[in-house]
Every structure is written in C-alpha cells, then in structure tokens.
C-alpha cells in the first residue's frame, strides 16, 4: 500500500472521526509495510477502539467499530475457521481487521481475503512485524484525547453562549457564535420546517436554502453526511429545531455541539418571553428589509423567501404597507382570511405585508377585502392600507414594496387622509405621492432649497414654515389658518407678509403659491 506519512498534531474536534484510513497513516503502522487486500472502499469507517485478539470467536467480544489486530495463530490450517472468523467480525460490525504476516501466515491467506471482500470488511496485512501494543496505546490515547477535546469544546460553547444570553444578546449573535464554533451553516426552524433564522458563511447558507424544500422533506429521516439536528422545546412541548448543515467533524461531536446550541436557544426563549413568535417576526423583517433596501438583488433573496414558507412559484405578489399597523394583528388576519404572506414592521411604526396569491385569484379584490376587514377589526373607519399594483415577477417585488412605502409615507401626513379609500394607491395621493416618489432626486432637492431658502435661513423658520404649511394645506384659507394657530387674523397677516418678503413671492398668485407648495412638500418629504 502506497501512502504518505502524516504528522499528527494537537487534536481538533472539528476534524473527521478517526478512521481506518487515518490509522494506516500512523508512523508505527507504516513501519509494518501495510497493504490493503480487501474492503478498500470501506477505509473511511470510523475506528472506535483497537483490540488485540487471537481467539477464533473474537466477534462475540466486540460491540462495533473496533479495529482488530491479530497474527491468526489459532486460525492457521483451518479454512472454515478463517472464513468464519471474518464473518463473525462482520456480524459484530468491526471497523477492520489487521493481520500480521509471519509464522502462522507467511503470505496473505486467500480464504480470509475472499471472505473479507464478500463482507466488505477492510482487511490489511502487515509485511513486517511490529509491537501491536505500541499501536494500541497510541490509538487509544488519541481517541481519549479526542473525546476530552470534544467535551472541552462543548463546555466552551456552553460558557460562551450563556455569557451572550446573560448580556442580552439577540438571537442572531447567538447563532453567529454557534456557526463560528461548528464551522458550518446553522438553520433554526419551527415545527413546520419554516426557516426562522440562519447563520454562517453567506454563500454556504444560500446553497442550503436553495435546496431547502428537499432538506425539509427529509428532516425527519436519519442524520448523516454532516446534517445534525437537535430539538428545541421544554416542559413536554416541542416548538422547533436547530440544524447543523454539513458539519465536518465526527457525528458524536457535532451532536454534542447541537445539543449545547439547543440548550442556549431554549434558555434565550425562556428569558425573552415568547421568542419562537418573535423569531418568526425577525425572519420576516430581515427578508422584507432586504427587499425594500434593494442592496441584495431580489433573485438572491428567493431561496430565503421560499425557506421562510412564502409560496413563490407562479404566484402574484401584492405589496402592502399599513401605517401604524400591528404586526400581530395583521398576522392573525392573514390566517383568518386564509392568505399566504409575510408580515414585518418597517419604518416609522408602519408594517409591511407581502401577499402571495395564486395566479387565478383576484389580487385587487383580495387587497380590498383585507383592508375592509382591517377597518372592521381595528374599529377605526379611517384606517388605510397603502398598496402597490400586483407583481407577477419576483424581481419586481422590491419596487412594489418601495411604491407601497411611498404611498404610506404620503398618507401619513396628509390632511386628506380621512377621505381616502380603504386601499390607497399612488393615484389616490396625487401631488403628495409624486413628490414622495421624487424626494431623493437631486433636482427636486435643489428646487426645494431654492424656493424656500429665505425661510430655511430665518431665525423663526420653524414657526413661519408651520404657518405656511397650514395656509397652503387649507387651500389658502386665512380664517382657518388663524384658528388652527390660535392667532388673530391681523397677526396671521403679518406672518404671511413676512413669509412673502423672505421668499420673494406673492401667495395670492396661484402659480407662485403652487410652486412654494410643491417645494414645501418636497422639503417635508426629505426631512421625513
């Protein structure tokens, strides 16, 4: 067998479990000139222990995972005993058998080799003798040190996570720490396998989420290939699970880390109230925030949306924003109406709702029904829902959410809000909505600064701007403006004259007043 010498350094608990292949790279084994004569495809079997045995019935003394070292002295000359010896090791689930050639067997016994090949049991012969005791001592020492390292790592993780929880760290910080220790993506789900939170290298996490539907279907199956999970729950109640995705270390060590992580998450929930619900809110908020910002392309967020439980294939998406909306109430309404969607609080107390509807559903009618039901549930007949036009392409969803946000912003400060329909779109907010959409345009910003320069630089700017704002919003009604500002009409006239003088305009001229009104709307939108 040709192999290269590998120097064993300090034990790393994240290394794969000690295998037959790695044992064969030990210097003492290499000195015996090992040759794999059977079962070469099974060399990655984990080695749990090394056992020196000459007894023909050694199989009854094994519990599985042992590498058995023998000279075969009690088997020489008996073909049936040799074959049964290999079969008994296979039945006991031994990791491998190592036969030292010498007086009993000067060459590889063909009966044992064929039996091992049939059973798929790795069989190694040593062409030069060496003390079995030295190999046993080194491997056993390595296994014990590895066990101790895994326990030490487990305690280090427990200490680190407990410290973070005591300091009031959010869920994401805990998961980032878990991903750091495990070296693989970490996923937290509810009982429906809906992804609540993730951590780890972004590209690796995205790879997991892209295949999440298949992974979720197999979540109840046996663990393997580094997919290790631990249940989340307590007091007889399960409410989710944490999964290590593609853990590179041995399964036992990974299970230990997953259990420590689960303990920490359960403690985090206990100290933070109904954290399972808040984690769902955080997941939706993170996704909708990323969609709104446009920093991450929508296409890259599709796996996250799908893993979060949002139907995305052949769907119509309706972006909504509810000013002063209560996320819990809106989540409850979605369930009552049987609608699929994500709900999350966004800016200034508003709540975003992204509906996902089947293509044959009437998006406009359902949005109107949702808004009407919200008015009934809230008991506020002036409650409105800002909406964008339905989108059939996922890539158009971010623009739709931003449009709904702009409409909500325009509605929030509108004096005409009381007269608006239950569902408000851009066409319903007229000039204010247009200005909100264009507020970040440099030309609009420059226009607002230029038109209002005389007031913005004034010492009494805030008071004069407030009067101007009310005067224009009331349709230049002097009596109403004086009443709202609790001043006499002569006092109001003096303030209006001061405003006209500073701005160099005649507010009785419709075009000039309209220009100032637009500039003021733009200024307010930029400040908001």
């Amino acid at each position: 067998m040709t192999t290269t010498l590998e120097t064993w350094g300090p034990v790393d608990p994240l290394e794969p479990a000690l295998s037959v292949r790695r044992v064969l790279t030990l210097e003492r084994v290499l000195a015996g000139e090992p040759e794999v004569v059977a079962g070469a495809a099974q060399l990655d079997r984990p080695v749990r222990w090394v056992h020196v045995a000459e007894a023909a019935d050694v199989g009854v003394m094994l519990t599985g995972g042992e590498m058995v070292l023998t000279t075969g002295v009690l088997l020489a000359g008996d073909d049936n005993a040799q074959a049964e010896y290999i079969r008994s090791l296979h039945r006991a689930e031994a990791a491998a058998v190592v036969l030292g050639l010498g007086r009993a067997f000067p060459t590889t016994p063909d009966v044992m080799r064929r039996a091992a090949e049939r059973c798929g049991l790795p069989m190694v012969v040593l062409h030069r003798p060496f003390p079995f005791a030295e190999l046993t001592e080194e491997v056993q020492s390595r296994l014990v040190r590895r066990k101790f390292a895994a326990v030490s790592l487990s305690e280090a993780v427990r200490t680190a996570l407990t410290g973070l929880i005591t300091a009031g760290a959010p869920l994401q910080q805990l998961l980032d720490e878990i991903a750091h220790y495990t070296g693989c993506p970490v996923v937290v789900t509810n009982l429906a396998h809906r992804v609540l939170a993730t951590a780890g290298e972004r590209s690796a996490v995205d790879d997991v989420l892209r295949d999440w539907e298949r992974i979720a279907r197999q979540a109840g199956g046996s663990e393997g290939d580094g997919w290790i999970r631990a249940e989340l729950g307590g007091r007889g109640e399960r409410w989710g699970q944490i999964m290590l995705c593609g853990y590179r270390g041995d399964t036992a060590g990974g299970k230990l880390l997953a259990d420590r992580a689960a303990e920490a998450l359960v403690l985090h929930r206990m100290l933070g109230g109904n954290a399972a619900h808040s984690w769902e809110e955080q997941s939706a908020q993170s996704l909708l925030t990323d969609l709104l910002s446009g920093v991450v392309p929508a296409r890259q967020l599709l796996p996250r949306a799908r893993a979060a439980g949002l139907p995305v294939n052949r769907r119509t998406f309706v972006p909504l924003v509810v000013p002063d909306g209560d996320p819990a109430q809106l989540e409850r309404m979605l369930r009552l109406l049987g609608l699929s969607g994500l709900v999350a609080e966004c800016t200034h107390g508003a709540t975003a709702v992204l509906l996902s509807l089947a293509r044959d559903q009437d998006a406009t009618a359902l949005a109107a029904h949702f808004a009407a039901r919200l008015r009934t549930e809230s008991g506020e007949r002036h409650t409105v829902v800002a909406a964008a036009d339905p989108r059939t392409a996922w890539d158009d969803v971010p623009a739709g959410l931003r449009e709904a946000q702009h409409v909500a912003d325009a509605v929030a400060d509108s004096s005409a809000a009381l007269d608006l329909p239950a569902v408000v779109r851009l066409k319903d907010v007229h000039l204010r909505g247009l200005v909100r959409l264009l507020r970040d345009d440099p030309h609009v910003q420059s226009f607002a600064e230029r038109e209002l320069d005389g007031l913005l630089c004034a010492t009494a700017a805030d008071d004069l701007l407030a009067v101007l704002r009310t005067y224009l919003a009331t349709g230049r009604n002097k009596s109403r403006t004086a009443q709202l500002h609790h001043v006499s009409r002569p006092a109001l006239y003096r303030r209006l004259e001061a405003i006209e003088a500073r701005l160099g305009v005649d507010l009785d001229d419709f075009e000039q007043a309209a220009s100032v009104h637009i500039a003021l709307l733009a200024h307010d939108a930029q400040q908001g």
Side-chain angles (χ1 to χ4, degrees), residues 34-53:
E35 179 187 0
V36 179
V37 296
Q42 302 296 322
L43 295 182
D44 291 319
R45 285 183 175 182
V47 175
R48 187 184 61 80
W49 207 243
V50 175
H51 192 69
V52 179

Side-chain angles (χ1 to χ4, degrees), residues 169-177 196-200 268 282 286:
L171 170 67
Q172 190 59 54
Q173 192 172 349
L174 260 67
L175 293 180
D176 289 342
E177 190 76 2
L196 304 181
T198 62
H268 186 276
Q282 291 176 34
S286 173

